Amino acid sequence: MKTRVLWITSFRPFGVSGENDEIQIKFLKSLERVRNAEITLHVTQFGEKNVEETLKEFLLDKNTKLIFKERARPPNAKYSQTHIMGDGLSEFCENEFYDVLVWSTCDFEAPRNLIDVCCQNKKNSEYISCIMPQYHQTNRGHLFDSLAFNFGIDIFVLNISTETAQKMEQLVSRYSNVDWGCYEHFLSSMSDALNIKMINAAKRTNIRKYGNSYIDFGDTRSKQIVQWAANRDRLKDYLSSEGLSHNFADGSMYYLFWRNTRFVDLGIVHLVTFPSLMLKLAFSLFRHVYRKVIGVAG
């Protein structure tokens, strides 16, 4: 019997960037290849052009089902992960049909064995699965990408009951995340907030992640930094209200890797990428100390 998956995501506009369209179509095609899964794609959009039409055309006669929801844009923002996740959780809680909940971006290709790996013990316990590190597909070459420890968490697979999903729905509504950044930090805190374990599934599976050209949509790196900082500040307020560690907001991806990865989760992929991780950490610590020294000297 196939696992019934409610997959929550949102898309950028279609027809604006050919590179972006190709990445998002690769994501959709990969869903069709996921084994032992009956996927319902739950999509919340905020006025992005050509998304509903493209999804309906692409998914016509496909195995992936579609639930599409249109929302007004948040004030002074393009989109909100709070609404995207909240809408999906509402669907999950209102219907006993689904076995598993997935939240993800749309910038990668899902592995064929995702459900086999992340849902093998779903009848025995509740848990959340993520994937760290992710395989990044760039123009620099496959060898470097496979050896590097690339940060970011683009997918969470939640094996949770309706009762736990209802608790999570309340928690999601208490943290306002708008525009870019910090949502994987929030979702990483769910294991503590819900008192269930987090599993890093990179030992047995991985995703092929693509970098999208955000400049094509009027975004800049400086805007992203400002948006991330604002989301972090609101996350710290939420963490304080729930009695959770501020390290989920301030601890960087090094902290998330440590919190999301058990010793039994470590595999060859981590042994190969640890030199890259240690190098990144060394440079990060050097920059931190250098800025502190410069600040004192100034």
Side-chain angles (χ1 to χ4, degrees):
M1 182 177 178
K2 291 185 176 181
T3 300
R4 296 167 298 185
V5 181
L6 183 67
W7 196 304
I8 303 169
T9 193
S10 187
F11 291 83
R12 291 178 299 279
F14 283 90
V16 176
S17 164
E19 178 185 5
N20 172 75
D21 292 354
E22 183 180 355
I23 291 171
Q24 295 190 137
I25 291 298
K26 284 182 177 178
F27 167 74
L28 289 169
K29 287 181 178 179
S30 73
L31 297 185
E32 290 292 307
R33 298 193 293 267
V34 176
R35 295 194 299 260
N36 299 320
E38 181 180 337
I39 297 175
T40 298
L41 196 62
H42 192 287
V43 177
T44 296
Q45 296 296 143
F46 302 85
E48 292 85 356
K49 293 182 179 179
N50 304 318
V51 174
E52 184 175 14
E53 301 90 329
T54 302
L55 293 180
K56 287 183 175 179
E57 180 180 356
F58 182 84
L59 296 176
L60 187 66
D61 298 327
K62 303 285 186 181
N63 293 322
T64 304
K65 301 174 185 177
L66 175 66
I67 297 177
F68 190 90
K69 185 175 181 66
E70 189 75 45
R71 274 186 173 267
R73 285 187 173 183
N76 303 314
K78 288 184 177 181
Y79 61 92
S80 169
Q81 289 290 354
T82 300
H83 293 320
I84 294 168
M85 190 68 178
D87 290 344
L89 279 165
S90 294
E91 168 67 19
F92 187 85
C93 292
E94 291 170 5
N95 295 278
E96 298 291 335
F97 175 79
Y98 307 106
D99 301 311
V100 172
L101 185 70
V102 174
W103 172 92
S104 81
T105 68
C106 58
D107 300 326
F108 64 88
E109 292 182 69
R112 296 175 184 269
N113 67 342
L114 178 71
I115 296 303
D116 293 337
V117 168
C118 294
C119 304
Q120 57 184 340
N121 297 316
K122 64 179 184 295
K123 293 182 180 180
N124 299 325
S125 63
E126 294 185 287
Y127 58 95
I128 304 173
S129 299
C130 67
I131 297 175
M132 293 183 76
Q134 302 174 154
Y135 174 83
H136 280 222
Q137 178 67 52
T138 70
N139 294 324
R140 294 175 302 202
H142 292 281
L143 181 60
F144 176 84
D145 293 332
S146 59
L147 294 178
F149 194 103
N150 293 294
F151 284 146
I153 311 176
D154 282 66
I155 186 169
F156 288 84
V157 180
L158 298 98
N159 291 270
I160 56 177
S161 65
T162 301
E163 292 75 20
T164 300
Q166 290 170 342
K167 295 177 184 178
M168 185 174 177
E169 188 176 15
Q170 291 298 314
L171 295 171
V172 165
S173 69
R174 294 171 193 163
Y175 168 53
S176 177
N177 182 286
V178 295
D179 282 334
W180 185 83
C182 222
Y183 208 60
E184 64 262 60
H185 295 251
F186 169 69
L187 292 179
S188 292
S189 76
M190 283 296 103
S191 59
D192 282 14
L194 299 172
N195 194 29
I196 57 179
K197 64 183 177 182
M198 178 75 73
I199 295 172
N200 185 349
K203 179 179 180 178
R204 297 187 57 201
T205 192
N206 213 308
I207 66 175
R208 186 183 297 273
K209 164 76 175 175
Y210 298 90
N212 65 80
S213 182
Y214 52 82
I215 297 175
D216 293 342
F217 303 98
D219 295 325
T220 63
R221 183 57 182 161
S222 60
K223 284 183 181 179
Q224 290 181 336
I225 291 172
V226 171
Q227 292 167 2
W228 191 94
N231 281 322
R232 178 199 58 197
D233 291 343
R234 288 189 291 269
L235 178 57
K236 290 169 73 172
D237 291 340
Y238 157 81
L239 293 170
S240 294
S241 68
E242 299 300 323
L244 300 171
S245 173
H246 274 208
N247 286 330
F248 283 111
D250 292 332
S252 80
M253 281 290 169
Y254 301 106
Y255 178 78
L256 296 190
F257 175 71
W258 177 67
R259 286 306 305 268
N260 292 345
T261 307
R262 307 166 303 163
F263 181 77
V264 296
D265 294 334
L266 297 177
I268 294 176
V269 62
H270 296 107
L271 294 177
V272 172
T273 58
F274 268 154
S276 172
L277 177 64
M278 293 299 102
L279 188 61
K280 290 176 185 288
L281 179 58
F283 276 118
S284 179
L285 290 174
F286 175 79
R287 286 195 301 267
H288 178 74
V289 172
Y290 178 77
R291 289 168 183 167
K292 288 286 186 182
V293 171
I294 293 297
V296 171

